[in-house]
Every structure is written in C-alpha cells, then in structure tokens.
Amino acid sequence: MTTRRHTDTGASPASQRYARLLKDFDFQLAASQEQRLEVYHLRHQVYCQEIGYTPPDGGAGELEVDPHDRHAVHCLLRHRRTGLAAGCFRLVFPDPIAPRASLRLPLQEYGGRSLTHAHLHPSRLPFHEICEVSRLATAREFRHHPVGYETLSADSPHEHFSDEERRLFPLITGAVFLATHALVELAGRRHIFAMMQPRLPRLLARSGFHFQLIGKPIELHGERSAYYIDNQVAEAEMQDDLRPFYRCIKDALSPQLAGALPPPVRIAIPS
C-alpha cells in the first residue's frame, strides 16, 4: 500500500484542521480529585441537564457519578485559550471486585441480556485485555446543536468563539475517539466495548474505525446498542491522515497515565 505524503503546503484539509485542533486543545488525564470533579460536572451538564438522565444519587452537587468511576481512567479535552472543558470520556477497566464475570463492565450491568454475540462478550475474553469506553460528552459550547431538549442561550460562551475556532468543533468527536484508542494501547488493552447510538459507529467508520454490533438495542439515555472493536485492528485500519495526530495524542497521554490509573489497575498493568 502506498502511503500518501503531504508537504506543509500540500497537506489535506483534514490534516490541517487536526493540526490546528491539537494547538487549540489539550488532552488531560484526571490525576487529581479536582480534575475528576471537573469531568463529573461536564457529564452532569450533558447527561443530566440536556439528555435528562437521573443518576443514582440524583446528581448531587451537579455531578454525574456512578460506581464504575472508581475503576476507570478519566480524560478531559480542554480548550487552551479559554480554559473551558470541551469534552471528556472514561476508559473503564473490568471491576476487580466484581462478584462474577457477568458484571465486569458497565454494559454488562446495564445491558447484559442484550449482548447476543457468541464470542465477543466481556465474560469470554481475558480479564486483563478488556475495557469499555463510555461517558463520552462534548460541552454544549463546543457543539452547533444541543443533544437534548435544552437550547443554547444567547449569552452562551459559544458566542465568544471566532469563526476559525468554530470550524474545528466538528472534529472534536473524532479527536476524542483517537484519544480513546491511544489510551487503550497505552494501558495494554485490546478488546474495546461501548454502548453507542447507531449514528456514531457510522460516523467513526469514515475514519477507519469499524465497530461491530454485538447486541440488541436497549433504552439507555436514548436507544443504544453494544459494539466491539479490536484495538489492534483499529490501529491497522486507521486512515493515514489521522496517524500523525494519533501519535501526538498518545505522546501527550503517555506521561500522564501512571498518575491517573485507579489503584487496583496500577498493579494489573505493567509499566
């Protein structure tokens, strides 16, 4: 296969925009309680205020938290100029104290009966190779449209961005997914599970990330289904234009990982 090469003046438009995005945004792994609270607050804004989800504790303190957060790594995407939290996700490792293999990951708890694939199932794969990507959220200031019933107010910080900055916003979802795959590789995992709405896997397939449907639809903050992807295959099939930015994101996350791992995982993952 011939790899496309671009000079600085002949780089593809997508490459140019991703290069600008990495200058404007910073990926940070939550190593402190203050950073984790910032992630939980952003999740509350998106999942509770916009989508209408009510967490088990009712969203006390305007935070969206669940028991799986204690065995997860949390990643925040921050807009450098404003300091605003633009997006987040968590990488959940299998629960080290789960009473049985059928409760290792969140999607098993929420949609275990919907998982129909004979082989691609968290309980049938090696414990130290599985993980789940969840709680992906983009702050409403960095979206053109709300995700639920709430609308953007006239005085929203969204109005404070330049047209050039706004043109980068559609890339945020793709950049966040690049970060999920980079984090999975750094953590030494291979098998990725996720509960997603159907449109998201179709969107990600355009960048070479081909998630496989492994379950029936369920109601979970909207209709969602379980999907799976082999991270090694995902890296091999990634579009060439994305590889430089994937490496940049991985380089940015690598020195942060040790300080962001939950205590049980510090022992499970070799340095």
Side-chain angles (χ1 to χ4, degrees):
M1 178 182 297
T2 302
T3 302
R4 288 173 294 174
R5 297 181 179 179
H6 301 286
T7 64
D8 290 341
T9 57
S12 70
S15 294
Q16 293 175 345
R17 287 189 297 158
Y18 266 105
R20 173 62 192 271
L21 183 138
L22 292 183
K23 291 181 180 179
D24 287 5
F25 292 86
D26 183 31
F27 283 98
Q28 301 174 351
L29 298 184
S32 67
Q33 180 64 2
E34 181 180 5
Q35 289 174 308
R36 286 188 286 271
L37 290 176
E38 193 171 5
V39 170
Y40 302 153
H41 182 62
L42 175 55
R43 282 167 29 180
H44 184 275
Q45 289 179 324
V46 175
Y47 284 93
C48 303
Q49 292 180 277
E50 292 199 70
I51 297 178
Y53 167 66
T54 302
D57 65 355
E62 295 191 343
L63 304 174
E64 193 280 304
V65 185
D66 75 12
H68 298 285
D69 287 318
R70 62 176 171 78
H71 51 99
V73 173
H74 304 275
C75 185
L76 189 69
L77 179 64
R78 190 181 303 281
H79 187 246
R80 297 179 192 269
R81 181 180 65 79
T82 63
L84 292 172
C88 66
F89 71 89
R90 70 179 181 183
L91 179 64
V92 186
F93 299 103
D95 189 347
I97 59 173
R100 54 187 183 275
S102 61
L103 294 175
R104 290 175 169 179
L105 295 175
L107 60 74
Q108 293 176 277
E109 177 184 345
Y110 305 139
R113 293 183 179 179
S114 72
L115 303 178
T116 56
H117 198 282
H119 307 292
L120 299 178
H121 192 287
S123 64
R124 300 187 181 97
L125 294 170
F127 181 88
H128 295 298
E129 293 184 7
I130 63 173
C131 59
E132 180 176 341
V133 174
S134 67
R135 292 301 195 270
L136 280 85
T138 303
R140 61 180 184 169
E141 293 87 355
F142 295 87
R143 283 185 265 113
H144 293 295
H145 303 286
V147 295
Y149 55 81
E150 193 171 78
T151 58
L152 297 174
S153 61
D155 60 350
S156 168
H158 179 86
E159 301 296 329
H160 300 163
F161 294 109
S162 68
D163 290 342
E164 185 178 6
E165 287 176 314
R166 291 181 191 179
R167 281 194 287 270
L168 299 176
F169 293 176
L171 297 179
I172 288 177
T173 297
V176 168
F177 260 90
L178 283 176
T180 68
H181 287 283
L183 190 54
V184 169
E185 181 184 1
L186 290 169
R189 303 284 160 149
R190 176 174 179 177
H191 306 291
I192 307 174
F193 294 89
M195 294 292 294
M196 295 187 286
Q197 296 176 329
R199 65 177 181 82
L200 187 53
R202 291 196 295 267
L203 175 64
L204 295 171
R206 299 174 188 174
S207 298
F209 299 110
H210 301 287
F211 281 80
Q212 182 174 349
L213 179 67
I214 60 168
K216 299 177 181 178
I218 64 170
E219 173 58 34
L220 185 65
H221 324 319
E223 184 178 288
R224 299 172 187 266
S225 300
Y227 288 85
Y228 164 87
I229 193 168
D230 183 323
N231 200 48
Q232 294 180 4
V233 175
E235 291 181 11
E237 296 181 348
M238 186 186 305
Q239 287 186 354
D240 289 344
D241 283 348
L242 298 179
R243 293 186 185 279
F245 311 107
Y246 175 78
R247 289 192 292 268
C248 287
I249 293 172
K250 188 167 65 173
D251 289 344
L253 295 179
S254 180
Q256 303 180 54
L257 180 58
L261 287 170
V265 185
R266 292 181 195 277
I267 298 173
I269 296 179
S271 59

